[in-house]
Amino acid sequence: MSSHEHETYDVVGIGFGPSNLSLAIALEESRANGLEGGINSLFFERQPSFGWHRNMLLPSATMQISFLKDLATFRNPTSGFSFISYLYASGRLSQFVNNQDFFPTRQEFHQYLEWAQAQVSDRVAYGSEVTSVGLRPGADPELSDRLRLEVADAAGRVSRVVEARNVVISTGLVPSMPEGTDRDERVWHSSEFLEKYRRMNPAELRRVAVVGAGQSAAEIARFLYDELPHAQVWAVIPSYGYSVADDTPFANQIFDSGAVDDYYFGTEQTREAFWRYHRNTNYSVVDDEVIRDLYRRSYDDDVRGIKRLHFLNLTRVTDVKRAGAETRVSLQEGPGGGVRELDFDAVVCATGYTEMEPTRLLGDLDRYCLRDESGRYRVERDYRIVTEPEMRCGIYLQGGTEHTHGLTSSLLSNIAVRSGEIADSIVARRVEQNSERAARALSSPL
Ligand code: FDA
Ligand code: NAP
């Protein structure tokens, strides 16, 4: 290989969380295997090994979807990569069934994901962060059928350059902090919770605050209350109290794969109705069991004449300042209400995430990607960004498509079906390109 040639793949996946793991499996199982030469793929993951929200693997946290919504079953019920196959391989199938629970712990699901990734790990480069995706230097997009990706090692040095006919971006949600608040060793986002918590001496944590009223906040408040029996735990809640996540059967239909079509092909009003009526299936809501656990702890404390759990309702954090070992938090009580300040030993901002945003990664390539009137990417039904006609490579998104494909965009519910659709699209475009090439060869003069 000369210094100008690079490894070339049909598909390069950026990020190797559950979405691209599911794609690796879909490619493995798809008709790609019947295609001449097959579809070769490589996935880059910046973490040193597989990890799915490791900092939130709290002991009693459970999954928010049925175990049947695994990496493969909804696309291929006979897949060898299903959660049931994992249970069978682990010798726990009977025990799992005896347990009569659709919702495994996040720890067990993590073990399942690790088991699945081990079977495709020859296609994954860990400790590898993709820092840019672009055209080859000097390449005309109309003529070039490949994109060039730069990959940095753990030290941040560009260590590898590869080329791809298609990229599938799946870099995950982006942590969101209260405006103007920086993270440090005592101000944490929930996405870094366990890592930062373990660095502290628990005895030093006497007053801790947990900001937010979503699932992360409630789970962390429960964890801190249980782990730190000497501590006062303050929950800063923008609502009047935690609200329950609607996972009742009719509402749950919005996570069915068919709902993607209803959303994608629906009118603006249809899409707006999805959000108006069903945002409470996922955002700023908490599982019933965790809410009851917290209320029970608070009530039991009342009975014993102790006060360790404090709920500051209708309150938002507006500012966080560090003062020595303490952290001073400004709290706005109700819209237009007063602001008071409290000091804490640590503040956990379980303040949610924003959607995946690949603009920076795409750099100059972004100008070939078309946007709607609100400035959001236009995305085909097969999750490919709509590009200028001259662009011949496929840029697919797993995540960042809530505006086009609806609520499942950032969730696990539909990943088996979605990655199958992406795999099929890549194979179909490859077949089309092969036929075009063959037709050109036939029509060109000898
Ligand atoms: P995910 O974020 O998992 O993976 C993205 C990967 O890309 C990461 O491993 C990251 O390191 C890597 N990466 C980023 N940039 C990169 C780059 N430039 N180069 C290389 N690698 C890069 N949903 C659900 O349906 N049911 C559930 O039970 C839960 N539970 C849950 C718990 C918690 C604590 C959170 C925060 C979220 C959930 N979710 C969820 C929602 C969550 O988005 C979903 O479970 C998956 O993480 C989505 O998988 P992805 O692979 O898309 O992203
Ligand atoms: P989230 O649902 O978006 O909740 C963020 C919370 O922070 C909201 O209540 C928000 O209130 C609040 N908030 C934001 N800024 C604030 C401020 N300045 N002051 C006070 N409160 C503020 O985020 P999440 O709980 O991290 O959940 C994200 C996703 O992860 C969801 O899909 C969830 O289901 C998933 N998750 C799953 C598990 C599990 O599987 N066990 C565990 C954790 C998370 P407003 O809405 O009013 O802004």
Side-chain angles (χ1 to χ4, degrees):
M1 202 182 284
S2 83
S3 58
H4 297 293
E5 289 178 68
H6 299 289
E7 310 157 63
T8 301
Y9 297 91
D10 294 306
V11 185
V12 167
I14 307 175
F16 201 63
S19 298
N20 269 349
L21 169 55
S22 178
L23 176 65
I25 294 168
L27 287 169
E28 172 97 2
E29 294 182 338
S30 84
R31 63 194 171 96
N33 296 326
L35 203 70
E36 199 190 326
I39 291 271
N40 67 343
S41 57
L42 182 66
F43 295 84
F44 289 106
E45 168 55 52
R46 67 182 171 196
Q47 296 184 82
S49 59
F50 184 84
W52 175 59
H53 303 303
R54 275 187 189 276
N55 285 319
M56 282 295 291
L57 282 182
L58 305 176
S60 43
T62 57
M63 293 299 293
Q64 298 201 291
I65 46 162
S66 156
F67 69 90
L68 291 167
K69 290 189 172 179
D70 58 27
L71 296 163
T73 297
F74 272 49
R75 175 181 47 76
N76 174 12
T78 60
S79 172
F81 290 90
S82 66
F83 188 77
I84 290 180
S85 298
Y86 152 77
L87 288 173
Y88 183 76
S90 314
R92 273 206 316 276
L93 185 54
S94 316
Q95 293 92 319
F96 183 83
V97 173
N98 291 340
N99 204 35
Q100 298 184 15
D101 195 339
F102 262 65
F103 304 95
T105 60
R106 289 198 58 242
Q107 308 243 21
E108 185 176 21
F109 205 77
H110 199 282
Q111 283 178 21
Y112 157 63
L113 297 173
E114 285 181 311
W115 167 85
Q117 73 79 35
Q119 298 175 67
V120 292
S121 58
D122 58 329
R123 270 144 283 171
V124 192
Y126 286 104
S128 303
E129 176 165 6
V130 175
T131 51
S132 77
V133 186
L135 289 171
R136 291 188 285 172
D140 177 343
E142 195 152 4
L143 303 175
S144 175
D145 64 350
R146 294 179 222 168
L147 297 171
R148 181 178 185 273
L149 290 90
E150 289 187 344
V151 186
D153 60 18
R157 281 184 305 260
V158 172
S159 56
R160 196 164 171 181
V161 176
V162 300
E163 293 184 349
R165 296 189 178 87
N166 299 280
V167 294
V168 184
I169 305 177
S170 185
T171 50
L173 297 164
V174 182
S176 169
M177 293 288 285
E179 218 179 305
T181 304
D182 294 326
R183 305 188 217 174
D184 63 23
E185 70 276 14
R186 285 175 187 267
V187 181
W188 318 328
H189 186 264
S190 54
S191 58
E192 52 186 359
F193 175 67
L194 280 177
E195 190 188 338
K196 291 269 176 90
Y197 173 77
R198 287 183 188 132
R199 280 190 216 154
M200 301 291 296
N201 173 359
E204 274 182 32
L205 295 173
R206 292 171 311 271
R207 284 167 64 85
V208 290
V210 184
V211 186
Q215 183 72 18
S216 299
E219 285 184 7
I220 291 171
R222 179 176 65 178
F223 174 88
L224 289 174
Y225 177 89
D226 292 349
E227 290 286 306
L228 303 172
H230 56 281
Q232 303 286 312
V233 178
W234 298 71
V236 182
I237 302 177
S239 55
Y240 199 70
Y242 299 109
S243 291
V244 72
D246 184 352
D247 68 345
T248 50
F250 289 109
N252 221 43
Q253 295 178 128
I254 56 147
F255 300 119
D256 293 352
S257 49
V260 175
D261 282 333
D262 292 332
Y263 192 94
Y264 188 87
F265 296 109
T267 60
E268 212 34 65
Q269 288 89 326
T270 313
R271 287 195 275 273
E272 192 270 324
F274 267 83
W275 288 107
R276 181 155 38 97
Y277 291 113
H278 300 297
R279 199 176 185 278
N280 70 341
T281 51
N282 185 50
Y283 289 109
S284 310
V285 287
V286 182
D287 281 350
D288 179 272
E289 171 228 335
V290 184
I291 294 177
R292 289 182 193 285
D293 268 6
L294 275 170
Y295 198 87
R296 167 62 61 190
R297 282 161 174 70
S298 171
Y299 183 77
D300 286 348
D301 279 356
D302 279 351
V303 172
R304 289 184 292 150
I306 303 167
K307 191 97 193 129
R308 281 217 305 122
L309 256 177
H310 308 267
F311 297 98
L312 299 175
N313 62 9
L314 297 175
T315 302
R316 297 188 80 85
V317 167
T318 53
D319 193 28
V320 178
K321 278 197 195 71
R322 289 297 307 282
E326 287 201 329
T327 303
R328 184 153 297 166
V329 179
S330 302
L331 300 158
Q332 167 103 44
E333 296 167 317
V339 176
R340 71 160 153 161
E341 292 184 332
L342 289 177
D343 291 339
F344 296 101
D345 300 313
V347 177
V348 191
C349 296
T351 42
Y353 297 80
T354 55
E355 267 204 290
M356 182 179 97
E357 188 17 276
T359 308
R360 196 182 54 82
L361 200 58
L362 291 173
D364 282 350
L365 204 55
D366 194 63
R367 69 189 141 105
Y368 298 101
C369 301
L370 303 188
R371 294 181 181 260
D372 66 16
E373 54 287 351
S374 307
R376 302 167 303 189
Y377 288 116
R378 287 174 53 200
V379 188
E380 306 277 11
R381 175 61 184 82
D382 63 4
Y383 300 94
R384 195 159 41 103
I385 296 183
V386 181
T387 51
E388 297 287 1
E390 66 261 35
M391 168 60 63
R392 297 173 61 206
C393 305
I395 304 169
Y396 292 83
L397 300 179
Q398 295 225 64
T401 59
E402 279 193 341
H403 60 294
T404 49
H405 292 68
L407 269 93
T408 50
S409 172
S410 69
L411 300 174
L412 301 178
S413 327
N414 195 41
I415 55 172
V417 173
R418 179 176 70 198
S419 51
E421 289 169 343
I422 293 174
D424 285 349
S425 164
I426 288 169
V427 172
R429 286 179 51 248
R430 164 81 176 273
V431 170
E432 205 175 292
Q433 283 162 2
N434 285 354
S435 321
E436 280 169 17
R437 212 170 292 136
R440 268 201 307 274
L442 275 177
S443 63
S444 65
L446 291 172

